[in-house]
């Protein structure tokens, strides 16, 4: 009985000593980029900084684009109630600014605003459509490859509908 207790105490002591050794070694000489997956490359600080900057630019452009989409939608709805859809952003008193390339398409029943930021891979669409005496709107975001390719009342293939307030 006594020998069994000593064996358990020795085993616990060895485990505690192993954990203590690992903790002290981590404090004394921490490893940068330590990973259990040694095959995966670790991003360099410059690469990480570049990706974070690109992400920040994308979020800023997205915010600007979504604001313009909503302003366009409201202005076109107001303009339609006064007669017909406007054919340009200038007619609505709006500007896309230097970061966005904007194109307005319109016909008798719908108007669309296509936005492409100068940088990044996203593009945006706002559509206002007259249907059965009512106006309907929708907004989309997706890969810029789909710009200009949408059926009436739908987002281009591969794009997602976004909800703006």
């Amino acid at each position: 009985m006594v020998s069994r207790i000593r064996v358990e105490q020795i085993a616990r002591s060895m485990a505690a000593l192993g954990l203590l050794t690992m903790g002290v070694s981590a404090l004394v000489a921490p490893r940068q980029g330590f990973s259990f997956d040694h095959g995966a490359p670790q991003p360099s600080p410059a690469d990480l900084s570049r990706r974070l900057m690109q992400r920040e630019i994308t979020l800023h452009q997205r915010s600007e684009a979504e604001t313009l989409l909503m302003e366009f939608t409201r202005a076109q709805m107001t303009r339609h109630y006064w007669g017909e859809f406007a054919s340009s952003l200038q007619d609505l008193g709006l500007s896309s600014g230097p970061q966005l390339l904007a194109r307005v398409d319109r016909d008798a029943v719908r108007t669309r605003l296509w936005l492409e930021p100068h940088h990044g891979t996203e593009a945006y669409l706002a559509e206002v459509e007259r249907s059965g005496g009512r106006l309907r709107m929708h907004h989309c975001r997706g890969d810029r490859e789909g710009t200009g390719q949408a059926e009436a009342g739908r987002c281009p293939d591969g794009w997602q509908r976004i909800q703006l307030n």
Side-chain angles (χ1 to χ4, degrees), residues 74-87 91-92:
R74 289 179 178 150
Q76 284 289 34
M77 292 174 88
T78 302
R79 181 72 184 252
H80 179 268
Y81 285 118
W82 286 101
E84 65 181 6
F85 293 124
S87 59
D91 290 346
L92 297 170

Side-chain angles (χ1 to χ4, degrees), residues 133-146:
R134 303 190 80 195
L135 291 176
R136 296 186 180 167
M137 66 176 177
H138 72 271
H139 305 98
C140 307
R141 174 177 59 229
D143 189 66
R144 43 185 343 154
E145 296 298 319

Side-chain angles (χ1 to χ4, degrees), residues 1-9:
M1 176 75 116
V2 173
S3 67
R4 191 173 122 211
I5 292 174
R6 283 195 184 265
V7 170
E8 287 178 4
Q9 287 176 343

Side-chain angles (χ1 to χ4, degrees), residues 36-58:
F36 290 110
D37 184 8
H38 297 290
Q42 296 296 320
S44 69
D47 185 45
L48 183 60
S49 177
R50 184 185 56 76
R51 287 193 299 168
L52 288 173
M53 180 63 82
Q54 183 61 40
R55 177 72 176 153
E56 187 174 329
I57 289 169
T58 299

Side-chain angles (χ1 to χ4, degrees), residues 58-127:
T58 299
L59 291 175
H60 180 70
Q61 287 178 344
R62 184 179 290 173
S63 175
E64 284 184 14
E66 289 176 353
T67 299
L68 184 57
L69 293 176
M70 202 61 221
E71 289 174 350
F72 171 82
T73 303
R74 289 179 178 150
Q76 284 289 34
M77 292 174 88
T78 302
R79 181 72 184 252
H80 179 268
Y81 285 118
W82 286 101
E84 65 181 6
F85 293 124
S87 59
S88 71
L89 287 178
Q90 291 79 16
D91 290 346
L92 297 170
L94 300 174
S95 171
S96 62
Q99 299 296 326
L100 301 169
L101 176 63
R103 186 179 86 230
V104 175
D105 298 330
R106 78 174 179 118
D107 58 31
V109 295
R110 88 183 42 81
T111 182
R112 292 178 170 166
L113 172 63
W114 295 95
L115 294 177
E116 288 184 70
H118 291 292
H119 302 287
T121 60
E122 286 187 338
Y124 307 88
L125 166 66
E127 182 178 82

